[in-house]
Amino acid sequence: MTFFDYAQAPYPIREDIAPAYRAYWERLAQPGSWWTGAERVAIAQESRNALTCRLCAARKVALSPEAVTGKHDCGDGLPEVAVDAAHRVVTDQARITRKYVEGNVTAGLSKEAYVELVGVVVAVFSIDEFHRALGLDLEELPAPEPGEISRYRPPRLTEDMGFVPTVPVDGAVGEESDLWPGGRTANVIRALSLVPDALREYRGIFSVQYLPLGGMRNLGRLEGRAIDRMQIELIAGRVSAVNECFY
């Protein structure tokens, strides 16, 4: 794929951002734990389709999303249940319930596949919103690569939070020992841990757009950042409130 040339942007952009985005696009094209490379790229496309989907727009203003039926404006390559999940994560995430997630399992979308889907949607949407905020064209999605999915599931899981199993706070050991350095984590980090590679992929975006995990306890100014930690948190809190973030 052709990567966006950030040197042509109307604003100076930190040098660590472009490599992080490029690494993500390269990984997106490869097979994941529960989706093929082609399916992962299709999920990424649905994160974009959701913003112009007429069904999603109608559901957003309805008293209940289940009150509006119809077909999503979408591409090919994914089952309907996956398209619906990808669109809801973008357009109506505040009304995703345990009942909805369990219903998706019954319809053929396992919790593992759902978590990887969420990881792709959130990462792609984060990169896209960065571009939209700066008035930049969206990057083209990569061509998918062949290969087999791993179906890897962590051996230590708990259901003490959210609607899906997660690696427990003290469970980042063995194959998962790199998930949260120093044994300290937060629920927002654990949320993708049912699919460790989804967390690893998103962590690369999280680190440059917000904070690296190792810098979470630094309450001053982080090296290379134009604003200090309190200013970062003020912006993060405001964005979370506007987006009706559960966390």
Side-chain angles (χ1 to χ4, degrees):
M1 67 178 288
T2 301
F3 294 113
F4 187 89
D5 183 4
Y6 289 103
Q8 303 302 314
Y11 307 99
I13 294 175
R14 279 202 338 263
E15 294 182 356
D16 58 337
I17 290 178
Y21 289 175
R22 290 171 181 172
Y24 181 76
W25 293 130
E26 291 172 353
R27 180 64 189 94
L28 173 68
Q30 300 170 16
S33 301
W34 302 92
W35 299 97
T36 65
E39 290 168 334
R40 283 161 58 84
V41 173
I43 291 168
Q45 182 58 57
E46 291 310 323
S47 77
R48 295 177 172 180
N49 294 341
L51 294 177
T52 56
C53 176
R54 289 165 291 183
L55 176 61
C56 288
R59 282 180 167 175
K60 183 66 175 176
V61 298
L63 183 61
S64 166
E66 280 70 34
V68 181
T69 59
K71 181 175 174 56
H72 288 285
D73 295 319
C74 62
D76 300 320
L78 292 174
E80 183 177 346
V81 64
V83 170
D84 186 73
H87 282 221
R88 289 208 194 197
V89 170
V90 172
T91 64
D92 205 11
Q93 65 288 134
R95 294 195 290 182
I96 291 176
T97 63
R98 182 181 299 276
K99 181 180 178 180
Y100 174 73
V101 174
E102 297 291 350
N104 284 346
V105 174
T106 302
L109 181 65
S110 70
K111 290 185 178 180
E112 293 84 357
Y114 174 71
V115 168
E116 184 172 339
L117 177 148
V118 170
V120 170
V121 169
V122 171
V124 173
F125 188 74
S126 296
I127 296 174
D128 285 355
E129 285 292 272
F130 176 87
H131 279 244
R132 295 186 187 105
L134 296 182
L136 308 177
D137 293 335
L138 301 186
E139 295 203 79
E140 64 179 79
L141 296 178
E145 298 180 11
E148 299 297 322
I149 60 178
S150 70
R151 297 186 182 276
Y152 178 77
R153 194 174 193 268
R156 292 190 63 186
L157 293 167
T158 184
E159 298 202 32
D160 63 333
M161 56 163 274
F163 307 147
V164 297
T166 59
V167 173
V169 173
D170 62 351
V173 297
E175 293 294 323
E176 284 67 65
S177 61
D178 65 313
L179 293 186
W180 36 84
R184 296 178 64 88
T185 186
N187 290 344
V188 70
I189 301 298
R190 292 176 57 206
L192 294 174
S193 61
L194 177 59
V195 183
D197 280 347
L199 174 53
R200 294 181 181 108
E201 291 164 12
Y202 180 64
R203 197 171 57 194
I205 307 301
F206 178 95
S207 294
V208 296
Q209 287 192 343
Y210 176 50
L211 295 169
L213 292 184
M216 295 296 289
R217 300 181 70 183
N218 184 346
L219 302 182
R221 184 182 297 275
L222 277 73
E223 183 178 354
R225 301 301 170 90
I227 58 178
D228 63 33
R229 178 66 183 279
M230 285 182 281
Q231 292 169 316
I232 290 172
E233 293 301 333
L234 176 63
I235 294 170
R238 178 58 178 164
V239 171
S240 294
V242 169
N243 289 333
E244 300 178 350
C245 174
F246 278 123
Y247 188 74

